[in-house]
Amino acid sequence: MNIEQIGVVGGGTAGRGIAWALSTAGVEVVLVEASGRLLEASLDALRDSLDREIARWAITESERDAILARISGTTDLEEVSPFSVIIEAVTEEFKTKTMLLQQLDTICLPEAVFLCNSSTLNVSDLAGVLPKARRDRLAGLHFLHPVNRVPVVELIRGRETSERAVAAARSVAELLDKEVVEVEESPGYVTTRLTLVIINEAIQALMEGVATRDSIDRAMKLRFGWTHGPLALADEIGLDSCLRALTNLSKEMGLPQYRPCPLLRRMVNRGLLGEKSGRGFYRYDERGRRVENAEEDLSLPRLETVLGGEE
């Protein structure tokens, strides 16, 4: 199977990360977004992320330029139709993903494999919207944030997923030097299921005034050796994405630990989405870089002020 070219549909945090990782591995990537505005924002965000890597001496300017040169952007889904592998990375909503899969089915090669980067949705249910002849060519390949640094992916088989689709998913993972963990088809799989509980509980602890933002994040970083605390991670993922994922898991599993914390709902309703909006549990500049402020260790009273719209 030719994987020298891959289409990535969806230019959000996950899609940009996947495109970045593929390009770093030498793959030509076509990144598809729904509109010119979203595409421009996605490519700008990708360049900014690469510039931050340069600032911390992780890559050189020439490496950045080479990565960007292998990624082309488009709003025309037809441009990925000749490819043998398409990676879906649109928003974590069943209707959005299934509409995309149906569109891809009408334009792509009969032998093309679709890899869904879903973190909570059932792969068999997604495949069920496709014609019978296409369902075996869909598998789940869940990339973890940040895609360029996390060395593992989750591979999920649907009821009708073929060995050919599984082999394609493994080939992509091998190309990216990522270890594959094959998991059963279950809401949230392993990583999302556990990570979201920690994020939700961290937000709950902040809401209850158990500790400040910095204390919660620092405690978890030191305890587990993480690079991010759970509140900082939620900001990077996007608080709206966390809310959607928790809502999906709560609906699918009916367990109390997945019921979104009220504070998370309030922040999303206020447009405090994290890095993408410039404000979540932390502040960010226009390029998505955290604004460090030693005096701002967010506590419950301070957070109430922020949610009240005051500064």
Side-chain angles (χ1 to χ4, degrees):
M1 177 175 289
N2 176 19
I3 52 175
E4 294 179 358
Q5 293 180 308
I6 290 181
V8 177
V9 186
T13 303
R16 292 195 304 271
I18 294 167
W20 175 355
L22 288 169
S23 177
T24 300
V27 177
E28 297 289 334
V29 180
V30 174
L31 181 64
V32 185
E33 256 296 4
S35 69
R37 178 183 61 82
L38 290 173
L39 180 61
E40 182 180 2
S42 178
L43 293 175
D44 285 346
L46 177 57
R47 174 176 282 276
D48 287 343
S49 295
L50 291 167
D51 285 345
R52 290 197 293 274
E53 292 294 288
I54 292 172
R56 69 184 191 92
W57 300 90
I59 62 173
T60 65
E61 290 187 7
S62 60
E63 286 172 326
R64 175 201 61 195
D65 294 344
I67 290 169
L68 292 172
R70 286 188 289 266
I71 300 173
S72 60
T74 184
T75 59
D76 183 4
L77 196 61
E78 292 273 356
E79 289 196 30
V80 304
S81 61
F83 299 162
S84 57
V85 176
I86 313 293
I87 299 176
E88 170 278 311
V90 297
T91 188
E92 189 73 357
E93 295 173 344
F94 184 79
K95 183 177 180 180
T96 302
K97 288 185 183 293
T98 53
M99 287 178 62
L100 171 62
L101 290 172
Q102 289 171 325
Q103 285 180 281
L104 289 171
D105 174 62
T106 63
I107 64 173
C108 290
L109 301 170
E111 65 272 18
V113 170
F114 302 155
L115 301 177
C116 287
N117 180 51
S118 175
S119 59
T120 60
L121 300 176
N122 187 289
V123 173
S124 293
D125 289 345
L126 293 171
V129 305
L130 296 172
K132 182 82 173 165
R134 174 77 79 174
R135 293 176 191 169
D136 67 331
R137 296 172 180 80
L138 183 143
L141 193 64
H142 178 216
F143 294 86
L144 305 177
H145 179 80
V147 179
N148 63 304
R149 292 201 293 271
V150 177
V152 65
V153 291
E154 292 177 310
L155 171 60
I156 308 96
R157 299 173 187 252
R159 287 188 296 272
E160 299 177 66
T161 300
S162 66
E163 289 301 323
R164 183 175 183 275
V166 169
R170 288 187 175 277
S171 294
V172 170
E174 181 179 351
L175 185 68
L176 301 180
D177 198 27
K178 295 188 184 295
E179 183 172 339
V180 173
V181 175
E182 190 162 343
V183 299
E184 293 297 322
E185 193 172 43
S186 176
Y189 316 130
V190 173
T191 56
T192 299
R193 185 168 176 167
L194 299 181
T195 302
L196 284 174
V197 170
I198 294 172
I199 287 174
N200 208 34
E201 283 297 320
I203 300 171
Q204 184 73 29
L206 179 62
M207 186 181 77
E208 292 176 6
V210 174
T212 65
R213 173 201 66 193
D214 290 2
S215 294
I216 292 168
D217 273 359
R218 184 159 178 77
M220 296 301 287
K221 286 170 66 177
L222 292 175
R223 170 62 181 86
F224 292 105
W226 294 345
T227 57
H228 293 68
L231 299 175
L233 179 60
D235 271 3
E236 280 205 3
I237 294 171
L239 301 192
D240 52 339
S241 297
C242 290
L243 178 59
R244 275 196 301 269
L246 281 164
T247 301
N248 287 338
L249 284 175
S250 181
K251 180 181 178 181
E252 289 289 329
M253 304 183 75
L255 297 174
Q257 60 263 41
Y258 299 112
R259 188 176 302 122
C261 175
L263 175 57
L264 175 61
R265 291 189 182 278
R266 289 180 64 194
M267 293 183 72
V268 172
N269 289 339
R270 289 280 185 173
L272 305 175
L273 308 181
E275 194 177 292
K276 67 177 73 174
S277 69
R279 184 65 197 251
F281 295 106
Y282 296 84
R283 293 180 184 270
Y284 303 88
D285 65 18
E286 66 280 358
R287 300 181 68 180
R289 296 174 298 192
R290 188 191 297 182
V291 177
E292 300 292 350
N293 184 345
E295 298 180 357
E296 186 191 56
D297 181 2
L298 206 63
S299 60
L300 181 61
R302 173 60 183 152
L303 187 57
E304 290 294 343
T305 300
V306 172
L307 287 171
E310 301 173 22
E311 289 296 333

